PDB file of all heavy atoms in Angstrom:
ATOM      1  N   HIS A 254      72.823  92.137 106.301  1.00 33.00           N
ATOM      2  CA  HIS A 254      73.621  91.035 106.621  1.00 33.00           C
ATOM      3  C   HIS A 254      73.507  90.064 105.349  1.00 33.00           C
ATOM      4  O   HIS A 254      72.530  89.750 104.891  1.00 33.00           O
ATOM      5  CB  HIS A 254      73.155  90.218 107.808  1.00 33.00           C
ATOM      6  CG  HIS A 254      73.253  90.925 109.170  1.00 33.00           C
ATOM      7  ND1 HIS A 254      74.441  91.075 109.861  1.00 33.00           N
ATOM      8  CD2 HIS A 254      72.340  91.736 109.816  1.00 33.00           C
ATOM      9  CE1 HIS A 254      74.180  91.773 110.995  1.00 33.00           C
ATOM     10  NE2 HIS A 254      72.928  92.258 110.952  1.00 33.00           N
ATOM     11  N   ARG A 255      74.758  89.605 104.997  1.00 39.00           N
ATOM     12  CA  ARG A 255      74.845  88.644 103.935  1.00 39.00           C
ATOM     13  C   ARG A 255      74.796  87.298 104.562  1.00 39.00           C
ATOM     14  O   ARG A 255      75.729  87.009 105.392  1.00 39.00           O
ATOM     15  CB  ARG A 255      76.051  88.871 103.159  1.00 39.00           C
ATOM     16  CG  ARG A 255      76.186  88.064 101.933  1.00 39.00           C
ATOM     17  CD  ARG A 255      77.329  88.473 101.034  1.00 39.00           C
ATOM     18  NE  ARG A 255      77.201  87.520  99.764  1.00 39.00           N
ATOM     19  CZ  ARG A 255      77.705  87.819  98.696  1.00 39.00           C
ATOM     20  NH1 ARG A 255      78.219  88.968  98.577  1.00 39.00           N
ATOM     21  NH2 ARG A 255      77.647  87.088  97.743  1.00 39.00           N
ATOM     22  N   ARG A 256      73.930  86.492 104.091  1.00 34.00           N
ATOM     23  CA  ARG A 256      73.737  85.172 104.644  1.00 34.00           C
ATOM     24  C   ARG A 256      74.730  84.308 103.771  1.00 34.00           C
ATOM     25  O   ARG A 256      74.819  84.479 102.637  1.00 34.00           O
ATOM     26  CB  ARG A 256      72.475  84.574 104.450  1.00 34.00           C
ATOM     27  CG  ARG A 256      71.512  85.307 105.321  1.00 34.00           C
ATOM     28  CD  ARG A 256      70.088  84.696 105.285  1.00 34.00           C
ATOM     29  NE  ARG A 256      70.022  83.301 104.947  1.00 34.00           N
ATOM     30  CZ  ARG A 256      68.845  82.667 104.418  1.00 34.00           C
ATOM     31  NH1 ARG A 256      67.834  83.239 104.215  1.00 34.00           N
ATOM     32  NH2 ARG A 256      68.866  81.439 104.220  1.00 34.00           N
ATOM     33  N   ARG A 257      75.420  83.410 104.577  1.00 38.00           N
ATOM     34  CA  ARG A 257      76.345  82.474 103.730  1.00 38.00           C
ATOM     35  C   ARG A 257      75.517  81.378 103.196  1.00 38.00           C
ATOM     36  O   ARG A 257      74.671  80.711 104.096  1.00 38.00           O
ATOM     37  CB  ARG A 257      77.409  81.982 104.752  1.00 38.00           C
ATOM     38  CG  ARG A 257      78.275  82.995 105.046  1.00 38.00           C
ATOM     39  CD  ARG A 257      79.392  82.330 105.921  1.00 38.00           C
ATOM     40  NE  ARG A 257      80.370  83.392 106.209  1.00 38.00           N
ATOM     41  CZ  ARG A 257      81.677  83.362 106.068  1.00 38.00           C
ATOM     42  NH1 ARG A 257      82.146  82.357 105.356  1.00 38.00           N
ATOM     43  NH2 ARG A 257      82.416  84.342 106.385  1.00 38.00           N
ATOM     44  N   SER A 258      75.607  80.949 102.025  1.00 39.00           N
ATOM     45  CA  SER A 258      74.750  79.828 101.417  1.00 39.00           C
ATOM     46  C   SER A 258      75.540  78.517 101.735  1.00 39.00           C
ATOM     47  O   SER A 258      76.830  78.480 101.986  1.00 39.00           O
ATOM     48  CB  SER A 258      74.693  80.082  99.915  1.00 39.00           C
ATOM     49  OG  SER A 258      75.821  79.880  99.396  1.00 39.00           O
ATOM     50  N   GLY A 259      74.863  77.582 101.706  1.00 39.00           N
ATOM     51  CA  GLY A 259      75.495  76.185 101.797  1.00 39.00           C
ATOM     52  C   GLY A 259      76.532  75.989 100.874  1.00 39.00           C
ATOM     53  O   GLY A 259      77.470  75.286 101.055  1.00 39.00           O
ATOM     54  N   ALA A 260      76.422  76.519  99.589  1.00 39.00           N
ATOM     55  CA  ALA A 260      77.360  76.332  98.550  1.00 39.00           C
ATOM     56  C   ALA A 260      78.791  76.898  98.967  1.00 39.00           C
ATOM     57  O   ALA A 260      79.761  76.246  98.479  1.00 39.00           O
ATOM     58  CB  ALA A 260      76.878  76.949  97.270  1.00 39.00           C
ATOM     59  N   VAL A 261      78.785  77.972  99.655  1.00 40.00           N
ATOM     60  CA  VAL A 261      80.086  78.493  99.971  1.00 40.00           C
ATOM     61  C   VAL A 261      80.791  77.697 100.898  1.00 40.00           C
ATOM     62  O   VAL A 261      82.007  77.275 100.832  1.00 40.00           O
ATOM     63  CB  VAL A 261      79.935  79.911 100.601  1.00 40.00           C
ATOM     64  CG1 VAL A 261      81.242  80.438 101.225  1.00 40.00           C
ATOM     65  CG2 VAL A 261      79.367  80.937  99.586  1.00 40.00           C
ATOM     66  N   GLY A 262      80.100  77.125 101.966  1.00 38.00           N
ATOM     67  CA  GLY A 262      80.657  76.173 102.932  1.00 38.00           C
ATOM     68  C   GLY A 262      81.093  74.879 102.168  1.00 38.00           C
ATOM     69  O   GLY A 262      82.143  74.380 102.505  1.00 38.00           O
ATOM     70  N   ALA A 263      80.221  74.329 101.289  1.00 38.00           N
ATOM     71  CA  ALA A 263      80.531  73.157 100.644  1.00 38.00           C
ATOM     72  C   ALA A 263      81.869  73.364  99.731  1.00 38.00           C
ATOM     73  O   ALA A 263      82.667  72.430  99.607  1.00 38.00           O
ATOM     74  CB  ALA A 263      79.486  72.725  99.714  1.00 38.00           C
ATOM     75  N   ALA A 264      81.872  74.576  99.047  1.00 38.00           N
ATOM     76  CA  ALA A 264      83.091  74.818  98.237  1.00 38.00           C
ATOM     77  C   ALA A 264      84.347  74.850  99.080  1.00 38.00           C
ATOM     78  O   ALA A 264      85.323  74.327  98.647  1.00 38.00           O
ATOM     79  CB  ALA A 264      82.863  76.141  97.466  1.00 38.00           C
ATOM     80  N   ALA A 265      84.296  75.476 100.204  1.00 40.00           N
ATOM     81  CA  ALA A 265      85.373  75.627 100.992  1.00 40.00           C
ATOM     82  C   ALA A 265      85.775  74.216 101.459  1.00 40.00           C
ATOM     83  O   ALA A 265      87.038  73.902 101.637  1.00 40.00           O
ATOM     84  CB  ALA A 265      85.056  76.496 102.301  1.00 40.00           C
ATOM     85  N   GLY A 266      84.782  73.337 101.767  1.00 40.00           N
ATOM     86  CA  GLY A 266      85.157  71.974 102.164  1.00 40.00           C
ATOM     87  C   GLY A 266      85.881  71.154 101.173  1.00 40.00           C
ATOM     88  O   GLY A 266      86.558  70.230 101.350  1.00 40.00           O
ATOM     89  N   ARG A 267      85.564  71.527  99.817  1.00 39.00           N
ATOM     90  CA  ARG A 267      86.317  70.814  98.736  1.00 39.00           C
ATOM     91  C   ARG A 267      87.519  71.391  98.319  1.00 39.00           C
ATOM     92  O   ARG A 267      88.195  71.061  97.382  1.00 39.00           O
ATOM     93  CB  ARG A 267      85.410  70.810  97.480  1.00 39.00           C
ATOM     94  CG  ARG A 267      84.022  69.987  97.650  1.00 39.00           C
ATOM     95  CD  ARG A 267      83.394  69.820  96.389  1.00 39.00           C
ATOM     96  NE  ARG A 267      82.955  71.193  95.711  1.00 39.00           N
ATOM     97  CZ  ARG A 267      81.754  71.704  95.856  1.00 39.00           C
ATOM     98  NH1 ARG A 267      80.926  71.210  96.584  1.00 39.00           N
ATOM     99  NH2 ARG A 267      81.596  72.832  95.276  1.00 39.00           N
ATOM    100  N   GLY A 268      88.089  72.253  99.123  1.00 44.00           N
ATOM    101  CA  GLY A 268      89.363  72.862  98.912  1.00 44.00           C
ATOM    102  C   GLY A 268      89.418  74.066  97.940  1.00 44.00           C
ATOM    103  O   GLY A 268      90.399  74.557  97.463  1.00 44.00           O
ATOM    104  N   MET A 269      88.191  74.455  97.463  1.00 46.00           N
ATOM    105  CA  MET A 269      88.179  75.600  96.577  1.00 46.00           C
ATOM    106  C   MET A 269      88.485  76.994  97.367  1.00 46.00           C
ATOM    107  O   MET A 269      88.070  77.105  98.457  1.00 46.00           O
ATOM    108  CB  MET A 269      86.891  75.654  95.940  1.00 46.00           C
ATOM    109  CG  MET A 269      86.452  74.533  95.016  1.00 46.00           C
ATOM    110  SD  MET A 269      84.898  74.558  94.404  1.00 46.00           S
ATOM    111  CE  MET A 269      85.023  75.792  93.227  1.00 46.00           C
ATOM    112  N   THR A 270      89.054  77.899  96.804  1.00 57.00           N
ATOM    113  CA  THR A 270      89.327  79.095  97.505  1.00 57.00           C
ATOM    114  C   THR A 270      88.246  80.129  97.084  1.00 57.00           C
ATOM    115  O   THR A 270      87.610  80.001  96.069  1.00 57.00           O
ATOM    116  CB  THR A 270      90.736  79.631  97.093  1.00 57.00           C
ATOM    117  OG1 THR A 270      90.686  79.892  95.545  1.00 57.00           O
ATOM    118  CG2 THR A 270      91.799  78.635  97.428  1.00 57.00           C
ATOM    119  N   GLY A 271      88.251  81.069  97.961  1.00 60.00           N
ATOM    120  CA  GLY A 271      87.300  82.226  97.785  1.00 60.00           C
ATOM    121  C   GLY A 271      87.781  83.156  96.808  1.00 60.00           C
ATOM    122  O   GLY A 271      88.878  82.890  96.087  1.00 60.00           O
ATOM    123  N   PRO A 272      87.006  84.280  96.526  1.00 61.00           N
ATOM    124  CA  PRO A 272      87.572  85.279  95.572  1.00 61.00           C
ATOM    125  C   PRO A 272      88.835  86.022  95.947  1.00 61.00           C
ATOM    126  O   PRO A 272      89.218  85.922  97.117  1.00 61.00           O
ATOM    127  CB  PRO A 272      86.362  86.292  95.631  1.00 61.00           C
ATOM    128  CG  PRO A 272      85.698  86.123  96.934  1.00 61.00           C
ATOM    129  CD  PRO A 272      85.848  84.759  97.172  1.00 61.00           C
ATOM    130  N   ARG A 273      89.429  86.439  94.939  1.00 73.00           N
ATOM    131  CA  ARG A 273      90.839  87.118  95.230  1.00 73.00           C
ATOM    132  C   ARG A 273      90.591  88.351  96.165  1.00 73.00           C
ATOM    133  O   ARG A 273      89.501  88.915  96.114  1.00 73.00           O
ATOM    134  CB  ARG A 273      91.338  87.578  94.017  1.00 73.00           C
ATOM    135  CG  ARG A 273      91.929  86.539  93.065  1.00 73.00           C
ATOM    136  CD  ARG A 273      92.548  87.081  91.909  1.00 73.00           C
ATOM    137  NE  ARG A 273      91.939  86.718  90.782  1.00 73.00           N
ATOM    138  CZ  ARG A 273      92.403  87.056  89.503  1.00 73.00           C
ATOM    139  NH1 ARG A 273      93.473  87.568  89.266  1.00 73.00           N
ATOM    140  NH2 ARG A 273      91.567  86.701  88.312  1.00 73.00           N
ATOM    141  N   GLU A 274      91.585  88.690  96.792  1.00 85.00           N
ATOM    142  CA  GLU A 274      91.496  89.928  97.524  1.00 85.00           C
ATOM    143  C   GLU A 274      91.706  91.182  96.623  1.00 85.00           C
ATOM    144  O   GLU A 274      92.363  91.005  95.670  1.00 85.00           O
ATOM    145  CB  GLU A 274      92.737  89.949  98.552  1.00 85.00           C
ATOM    146  CG  GLU A 274      92.558  88.923  99.814  1.00 85.00           C
ATOM    147  CD  GLU A 274      91.418  89.169 100.773  1.00 85.00           C
ATOM    148  OE1 GLU A 274      91.144  90.520 100.978  1.00 85.00           O
ATOM    149  OE2 GLU A 274      90.641  88.330 100.984  1.00 85.00           O
ATOM    150  N   LEU A 275      90.933  92.182  97.027  1.00 91.00           N
ATOM    151  CA  LEU A 275      91.129  93.418  96.234  1.00 91.00           C
ATOM    152  C   LEU A 275      92.365  94.191  96.693  1.00 91.00           C
ATOM    153  O   LEU A 275      92.524  94.368  97.961  1.00 91.00           O
ATOM    154  CB  LEU A 275      89.888  94.280  96.356  1.00 91.00           C
ATOM    155  CG  LEU A 275      88.529  93.665  95.810  1.00 91.00           C
ATOM    156  CD1 LEU A 275      87.499  94.676  96.138  1.00 91.00           C
ATOM    157  CD2 LEU A 275      88.675  93.407  94.309  1.00 91.00           C
ATOM    158  N   ASP A 276      93.234  94.675  95.728  1.00 93.00           N
ATOM    159  CA  ASP A 276      94.285  95.477  96.176  1.00 93.00           C
ATOM    160  C   ASP A 276      94.036  96.706  96.873  1.00 93.00           C
ATOM    161  O   ASP A 276      93.365  97.615  96.243  1.00 93.00           O
ATOM    162  CB  ASP A 276      95.159  95.759  94.779  1.00 93.00           C
ATOM    163  CG  ASP A 276      96.404  96.472  95.003  1.00 93.00           C
ATOM    164  OD1 ASP A 276      96.610  97.098  96.007  1.00 93.00           O
ATOM    165  OD2 ASP A 276      97.258  96.180  94.152  1.00 93.00           O
ATOM    166  N   PRO A 277      94.419  96.921  98.156  1.00 93.00           N
ATOM    167  CA  PRO A 277      93.918  98.091  98.844  1.00 93.00           C
ATOM    168  C   PRO A 277      94.655  99.375  98.254  1.00 93.00           C
ATOM    169  O   PRO A 277      93.968 100.466  98.484  1.00 93.00           O
ATOM    170  CB  PRO A 277      94.391  97.872 100.302  1.00 93.00           C
ATOM    171  CG  PRO A 277      95.516  96.828 100.169  1.00 93.00           C
ATOM    172  CD  PRO A 277      95.105  95.960  98.946  1.00 93.00           C
ATOM    173  N   VAL A 278      95.646  99.263  97.691  1.00 95.00           N
ATOM    174  CA  VAL A 278      96.305 100.462  97.053  1.00 95.00           C
ATOM    175  C   VAL A 278      95.364 100.984  95.931  1.00 95.00           C
ATOM    176  O   VAL A 278      95.218 102.234  95.793  1.00 95.00           O
ATOM    177  CB  VAL A 278      97.710 100.224  96.392  1.00 95.00           C
ATOM    178  CG1 VAL A 278      98.352 101.385  95.834  1.00 95.00           C
ATOM    179  CG2 VAL A 278      98.636  99.768  97.658  1.00 95.00           C
ATOM    180  N   ILE A 279      94.898 100.020  95.111  1.00 96.00           N
ATOM    181  CA  ILE A 279      93.984 100.622  93.905  1.00 96.00           C
ATOM    182  C   ILE A 279      92.561 100.800  94.369  1.00 96.00           C
ATOM    183  O   ILE A 279      91.829 101.605  93.808  1.00 96.00           O
ATOM    184  CB  ILE A 279      94.091  99.566  92.865  1.00 96.00           C
ATOM    185  CG1 ILE A 279      95.523  99.355  92.324  1.00 96.00           C
ATOM    186  CG2 ILE A 279      93.017  99.813  91.752  1.00 96.00           C
ATOM    187  CD1 ILE A 279      95.664  98.455  91.176  1.00 96.00           C
ATOM    188  N   HIS A 280      92.138 100.096  95.502  1.00 93.00           N
ATOM    189  CA  HIS A 280      90.730  99.959  95.771  1.00 93.00           C
ATOM    190  C   HIS A 280      90.198 101.429  96.268  1.00 93.00           C
ATOM    191  O   HIS A 280      88.958 101.593  96.207  1.00 93.00           O
ATOM    192  CB  HIS A 280      90.428  98.939  96.862  1.00 93.00           C
ATOM    193  CG  HIS A 280      89.047  98.759  97.154  1.00 93.00           C
ATOM    194  ND1 HIS A 280      88.202  98.299  96.057  1.00 93.00           N
ATOM    195  CD2 HIS A 280      88.212  98.857  98.145  1.00 93.00           C
ATOM    196  CE1 HIS A 280      86.965  98.030  96.726  1.00 93.00           C
ATOM    197  NE2 HIS A 280      86.923  98.394  97.907  1.00 93.00           N
ATOM    198  N   ALA A 281      91.016 102.291  96.778  1.00 94.00           N
ATOM    199  CA  ALA A 281      90.445 103.590  97.237  1.00 94.00           C
ATOM    200  C   ALA A 281      90.014 104.220  95.944  1.00 94.00           C
ATOM    201  O   ALA A 281      90.513 104.244  94.846  1.00 94.00           O
ATOM    202  CB  ALA A 281      91.622 104.452  97.785  1.00 94.00           C
TER     203      ALA A 281
END
Side-chain angles (χ1 to χ4, degrees):
H254 294 277
R255 185 172 183 156
R256 290 178 39 196
R257 292 184 179 239
S258 70
V261 172
R267 289 191 304 265
M269 297 176 68
T270 60
R273 291 186 243 190
E274 291 292 318
L275 296 176
D276 185 334
V278 176
I279 294 176
H280 192 62

